[in-house]
Amino acid sequence: MTSRHLATLLLASLPLSLWGQDTALGLKGYGLLTMSDLRNTTSSTFGAGGGAFVEFPLEGLPFRFRPYVGAQVIPTGTTAGLPGTRTGVSSVDFLLDTLWFPGESEHGGPYLIGSVGGHMWKVGAQGATTSTLSVTRFALEGGMGYQISPRLGAEVKAFWSPIRPDLTATGITLGATWRF
């Protein structure tokens, strides 16, 4: 997917902001800790990601929906079991986050997050074994957040997405959101 397609998707989401006065556009940035197969494939412990979202509430309920478009990158590293091969992993993410605010206010305090959608994965290996894999796969994420102010939030989430039978993407993200 090109950046032109991403820009088109974001522009198409702008009319959602007209649905209600509490609807907000926002940005999200995070660092990620790779686990299991991702760590073995890249030997990289950390990665980074970010993207844009539109967040809108459900009238009278403590829930918000947040369609999200973003990307994440895990730096190239030595692949375990394949000497001389370096592999990098990246993805473009399309998710629908559901936020539940169990407290009195959805403008401050803790909340739970559940996400479903897809990741467009790209796995590129160079060296003794050279290959490139590009696939779109189902994704699940879940975690918790804290709305620090009406604009700033902090979140921690776990993610899971099967790239291929012998490679499952799992990890933990820690980041911040900014609502405009």
Side-chain angles (χ1 to χ4, degrees):
M1 171 162 285
T2 65
S3 59
R4 184 180 74 184
H5 289 109
L6 288 175
T8 302
L9 286 171
L10 289 174
L11 287 174
S13 69
L14 287 177
L16 291 173
S17 65
L18 302 175
W19 286 8
Q21 47 185 273
D22 287 338
T23 302
L25 294 174
L27 297 174
K28 177 177 171 180
Y30 57 88
L32 65 92
L33 174 66
T34 62
M35 302 173 94
S36 191
D37 293 344
L38 278 183
R39 186 176 291 172
N40 292 339
T41 300
T42 64
S43 73
S44 298
T45 306
F46 299 102
F53 60 84
V54 177
E55 186 177 291
F56 54 96
L58 293 176
E59 290 292 323
L61 296 174
F63 292 96
R64 288 184 172 263
F65 286 122
R66 186 171 69 187
Y68 170 77
V69 177
Q72 55 188 6
V73 176
I74 300 158
T76 300
T78 305
T79 305
L82 295 174
T85 301
R86 296 181 52 80
T87 304
V89 178
S90 62
S91 73
V92 175
D93 312 326
F94 300 94
L95 299 166
L96 176 61
D97 297 339
T98 302
L99 285 64
W100 174 51
F101 290 82
E104 295 291 322
S105 171
E106 56 193 64
H107 299 291
Y111 57 92
L112 297 177
I113 312 161
S115 307
V116 65
H119 290 282
M120 294 174 49
W121 292 102
K122 183 175 181 182
V123 180
Q126 299 174 340
T129 304
T130 301
S131 67
T132 300
L133 171 68
S134 295
V135 295
T136 301
R137 295 291 188 250
F138 178 72
L140 290 174
E141 297 185 4
M144 62 184 134
Y146 192 87
Q147 196 66 41
I148 299 165
S149 73
R151 297 196 186 279
L152 179 64
E155 296 180 350
V156 61
K157 291 172 59 174
F159 67 90
W160 173 89
S161 181
I163 298 174
R164 61 180 191 222
D166 64 338
L167 178 59
T168 301
T170 55
I172 297 173
T173 66
L174 176 63
T177 61
W178 182 263
R179 295 176 9 188
F180 296 101

